[in-house]
Amino acid sequence: MFQAFLQGFAVYFIIWWITLFAVLPIGLRTQADDNDVVLGTVPSAPTRFRPVFVFSLTTLISGAIYGFWYICSTYFGLGFDALPQIGPSFY
């Protein structure tokens, strides 16, 4: 049971990490947009970083994706073996 939990957590963490990089630019205001570039920084640096918004949105989206994956794999039996093979088979 513990191994199943760790596998589920690993899948969720990978989904969360990929979703984080998709969510980061949402609502981003750069220093160049606000005409307030601090010396020593690049103009594309964010004006203010909102970690609570980014992490909560990432958690919500990745939770929905994980839930969809869990339902497909548990109830419908769809997994990586159900995907069509595109490349050659070496075994």
Side-chain angles (χ1 to χ4, degrees):
M1 178 161 166
F2 185 66
Q3 183 178 4
F5 172 76
L6 286 179
Q7 288 175 348
F9 182 75
V11 169
Y12 178 77
F13 180 75
I14 291 169
I15 293 170
W16 190 90
W17 193 257
I18 292 171
T19 306
L20 173 68
F21 289 106
V23 169
L24 273 174
I26 295 176
L28 178 70
R29 301 264 319 153
T30 63
Q31 293 179 9
D33 292 339
D34 292 340
N35 292 327
D36 185 27
V37 179
V38 178
L39 290 176
T41 63
V42 293
S44 61
T47 302
R48 67 170 211 258
F49 178 60
R50 301 177 300 174
V52 175
F53 172 75
V54 170
F55 294 148
S56 61
L57 187 61
T58 301
T59 303
L60 287 173
I61 294 172
S62 61
I65 294 170
Y66 179 78
F68 178 74
W69 172 82
Y70 182 78
I71 289 171
C72 288
S73 66
T74 303
Y75 296 111
F76 300 123
L78 299 175
F80 291 113
D81 295 334
L83 295 174
Q85 183 177 355
I86 297 173
S89 177
F90 294 109
Y91 54 91

